Amino acid sequence: MNRLLARMRSRLSPIAAFLVLSTIGTSNLLFGAPPPQKAVAEEPAARCMIQPTNYDGWKAEQLSNRWVKLVIVPELGGRLMQVTFDDHDYLFVNAQLKGQINPPDTEHHRWYNYGGDKIWPMPEGSQDEQHWAGAGGTLLDEGAFTLQVLSRGAECAVRLAGPIDPQIGQQYIRDIRINSDSPVIFFHAVMKNVSGYPQTWSEQSVSQYNAAAPGDPGQFNPKFWGVTPANPTSAFPGGYHVRTGSQTNPGYTVSDGLFRVQWNDMEGEVWTDSTAGWLAVVDGTSSFTMVERNHYDPRAIYPGQTTMLFYTTGKHDRGRPGGGGNGGAQGTAPGQAASAAVQPAGAQGSGQSVAGAAPMRMDSPIYYMEAEVNSPMVELAAGESYAMDTTWYPTRMGEAFKTATYSGVVGTPLAAAASPAGLTLTGDFGVFYAGSLVAHYYDRGGSSIGTAKLVDVTPVQEVQLQATVRAPAETFRVSVHLVEKSGVGRSLDRGPLGEAFVNPPPAPHHRNNWD
C-alpha cells in the first residue's frame, strides 16, 4: 500500500495527490467499515482462591470463586463440609458435633456423623470380608486426611489423601476442583488396593443435604426432594427397592419417567438402578437445586444392582426392618437381611454404634437427605487403583423441576408458538453457566436455517423465558442452547436446554421440478 501511494505522489500534482489520499482515508466510513479503534486493555482474567479458614471451630481449607464456596475439613475423613452458592448452604452440618474432632472409636465402633460429603466403600455389611462393616471407628470415614494444593488461579484444585484402612486394605485419594468462571464442582475419587492380593469393591459418594426448614432448623422442609430418572427396565418391582423403612412410604413415587423421594419425616433408604447418570436434590422452598452427575457403564456390575440411592432421616419406627439407614447391609441383594448389629443414624443423627453402646445425645431433631452415587464393582490387583469422576452443578430451580440436561435444569419445558407477531419461545430453566440462550432454527427436513441470541443468563437467577423473535418463515423446530461466556472474548456451547416443534407448524413447502 505504501509503495502504491509513493508512485501516486510522484505522478500527481500536490493538490490531486491530497484529494486522492483524503478519499482513501475516508473510504472506510463511506463503505460502512468501522474506523480504527484504540487498543482497549483486557479485563483481568477471573480467578479462584484457596485459603485456610476456620469453619464452625474446625481448621479448614476454602476453595472459592465469584459463584461458589467450598469448605473442606481434612481431619474429618477428608470431608467436604459445606458448599455455598448464592449465599445458600447445601449440606447438612451436625450442630451437636461442631468444632469437635473425635478419634475413630475402634473399641465401640461409634460413628461420629459430622455431616458434609465423603467417600465410602461398597458393598456394606458384616457377613464376610467382602463387605464393609460400616463407618463407625474406621479410618476411611473418621481418620485425618492430608491436603495438598494442586493449582491456583484459573482453576483451583486440592488433593486429599487418606490413611490406609487395614480393615479392607484400601486407601482413598480425592481431588476436588473448581474453575474461576462457573459454579461447577469436579471430583476425582481414587480407591487404591494397598493389600497384597486382589480385591473387589465399589466406591460411593455420600452427600448429606440439609432438609431443615429454611430459617428454622427445628422443623423439616416439606418441599424437599431427591430425584433421579427411573429405569424403564428396572430390576426392582415398581422401579425402586425400599432397603430400610416403610414399604408404603408415600414419599416414594414414580411419574413422568422420574423416581422421586419427598422428605416427609419418615426414615428410610431406597435404591434405584437408574441408568441416566444423574440425580438431583431439589429445595422447593428456597428454589435451589444441586445436580450430581457421573458416568453409567451399562456393561458393569453395581453393588446390589444399585446406581443411585437416597436415605432420609426421620421417625424410624414405621415398619423398618432389622438394621437401617446406612447401618444396614447396603449392597446386598434385595430381600437379604440387613445387619442388626449396627444402629442407624436415623433421628438420632449424631452417631451409629454397635448394639449395647450408648447412643449419642439428641438435643434437637436432625433433618437431612443423603444422595448417594455408586461406582461399578471393580476388581483391583495388589497396588492397582480405580477412579470415579463426579460433577456437581448448583443452580436455581424449585418444585417445578422436571429434568436435567448438560447445560441446566428444566422446570417448564420449551414451547414455540407461531403468530403474526413472530415466534414466541417460552420455558422455565436454571442454568449451570453464565452466558446467553441462543435459539437454533430447523426446517421440516431437519436442516439448520439460522440462530438468534435470546437473553443473557446467570446461574444465580432462574430463567423465565418469554421471547418473541423473527424466525425464518419455514422454521419447523427450535432448540435453545446455553452458550457460556468463558473469559474475555471466548464462548462455548454447553448444549441444549430443550427442543420444541413450532405450533402451529409452517405450511409444507412443495418442491417443483425446477426447484
Side-chain angles (χ1 to χ4, degrees):
M1 182 70 177
N2 290 336
R3 292 179 182 176
L4 174 63
L5 294 178
R7 289 198 297 269
M8 292 172 64
R9 287 194 187 98
S10 64
R11 297 178 182 179
L12 297 174
S13 66
I15 295 177
F18 172 78
L19 293 174
V20 170
L21 294 175
S22 298
T23 302
I24 293 174
T26 59
S27 63
N28 282 341
L29 294 177
L30 293 175
F31 290 98
Q37 298 292 318
K38 293 182 179 180
V40 178
E42 289 188 350
E43 298 179 7
R47 296 178 63 84
C48 53
M49 297 175 57
I50 303 176
Q51 57 193 31
T53 188
N54 182 292
Y55 184 75
D56 286 335
W58 288 305
K59 182 180 178 181
E61 204 75 17
Q62 177 177 292
L63 282 67
S64 62
N65 59 25
R66 66 187 178 118
W67 302 107
V68 70
K69 180 172 66 178
L70 282 59
V71 176
I72 300 168
V73 183
E75 290 182 278
L76 301 180
R79 276 171 169 75
L80 171 61
M81 192 57 69
Q82 191 55 269
V83 174
T84 304
F85 168 73
D86 197 23
D87 294 326
H88 175 78
D89 292 337
Y90 278 94
L91 300 181
F92 162 78
V93 178
N94 194 338
Q96 299 175 19
L97 296 175
K98 282 185 177 180
Q100 297 182 33
I101 298 177
N102 299 288
D105 184 356
T106 57
E107 181 181 358
H108 299 294
H109 302 284
R110 175 174 292 143
W111 178 42
Y112 296 99
N113 182 11
Y114 298 100
D117 164 82
K118 63 270 185 181
I119 298 293
W120 279 359
M122 290 292 117
E124 192 175 12
S126 59
Q127 59 267 47
D128 54 39
E129 289 185 343
Q130 283 70 55
H131 289 76
W132 187 52
T138 65
L139 292 173
L140 288 180
D141 183 78
E142 298 169 352
F145 281 50
T146 60
L147 184 143
Q148 174 191 358
V149 176
L150 300 180
S151 61
R152 303 175 188 265
E155 69 172 34
C156 291
V158 298
R159 173 166 295 166
L160 294 153
I164 294 173
D165 191 311
Q167 178 185 345
I168 61 171
Q170 296 287 305
Q171 182 187 24
Y172 285 162
I173 303 167
R174 194 184 196 196
D175 295 353
I176 302 177
R177 172 173 63 89
I178 59 173
N179 295 334
S180 59
D181 47 13
S182 83
V184 179
I185 308 164
F186 304 90
F187 300 89
H188 181 75
V190 173
M191 61 176 179
K192 182 178 181 180
N193 180 8
V194 294
S195 75
Y197 59 95
Q199 296 198 48
T200 301
W201 292 98
S202 162
E203 56 182 328
Q204 181 187 75
S205 168
V206 183
S207 313
Q208 294 183 341
Y209 288 90
N210 184 18
D216 188 356
Q219 300 295 324
F220 70 86
N221 185 349
K223 296 183 178 182
F224 201 88
W225 290 271
V227 183
T228 193
N231 184 346
T233 58
S234 176
F236 304 137
Y240 60 94
H241 170 64
V242 179
R243 184 67 191 90
T244 63
S246 172
Q247 299 290 323
T248 58
N249 187 334
Y252 303 152
T253 59
V254 176
S255 62
D256 300 323
L258 295 176
F259 169 73
R260 292 180 176 86
V261 179
Q262 183 172 9
W263 210 102
N264 61 357
D265 201 22
M266 292 179 66
E267 185 201 17
E269 181 174 282
V270 60
W271 298 357
T272 78
D273 53 357
S274 176
T275 61
W278 65 264
L279 61 76
V281 176
V282 180
D283 184 341
T285 301
S286 57
S287 295
F288 283 90
T289 288
M290 179 72 83
V291 175
E292 299 186 18
R293 276 193 177 274
N294 82 328
H295 173 70
Y296 169 73
D297 184 351
R299 301 164 299 177
I301 297 174
Y302 286 82
Q305 300 176 287
T306 301
T307 57
M308 307 282 180
L309 55 155
F310 299 94
Y311 167 75
T312 55
T313 57
K315 296 181 177 65
H316 58 281
D317 57 351
R318 304 185 185 183
R320 179 178 58 85
N326 283 309
Q330 186 182 57
T332 56
Q336 184 174 340
S339 168
V342 185
Q343 296 176 354
Q348 289 92 341
S350 52
Q352 64 183 23
S353 60
V354 296
M360 298 178 66
R361 63 189 177 87
M362 184 181 75
D363 294 341
S364 61
I366 287 181
Y367 304 120
Y368 66 79
M369 175 183 289
E370 282 184 355
E372 305 172 15
V373 178
N374 287 341
S375 83
M377 298 288 291
V378 180
E379 180 179 317
L380 298 175
E384 280 191 337
S385 298
Y386 168 84
M388 177 174 71
D389 293 320
T390 53
T391 310
W392 290 12
Y393 302 88
T395 190
R396 300 302 305 267
M397 179 58 66
E399 58 186 303
F401 177 94
K402 295 291 190 303
T403 191
T405 74
Y406 285 103
S407 57
V409 298
V410 180
T412 303
L414 177 68
S419 71
L423 188 63
T424 299
L425 303 176
T426 58
D428 184 18
F429 311 101
V431 297
F432 298 151
Y433 306 90
S436 304
L437 297 190
V438 175
H440 293 244
Y441 306 128
Y442 299 90
D443 65 15
R444 190 179 292 269
S447 297
S448 175
I449 55 175
T451 63
K453 176 182 172 180
L454 301 176
V455 64
D456 291 330
V457 293
T458 172
V460 297
Q461 291 182 336
E462 192 171 334
V463 182
Q464 296 181 338
L465 179 63
Q466 179 80 34
T468 300
V469 294
R470 286 291 183 182
E474 62 270 31
T475 300
F476 184 74
R477 175 171 52 90
V478 182
S479 177
V480 171
H481 286 229
L482 171 63
V483 177
E484 179 191 13
K485 292 297 189 296
S486 178
V488 179
R490 293 183 296 163
S491 61
L492 183 63
D493 188 342
R494 289 293 183 177
L497 286 163
E499 290 190 75
F501 291 104
V502 174
N503 184 29
H509 175 64
H510 298 290
R511 295 180 62 87
N512 298 314
N513 292 333
W514 55 83
D515 280 355

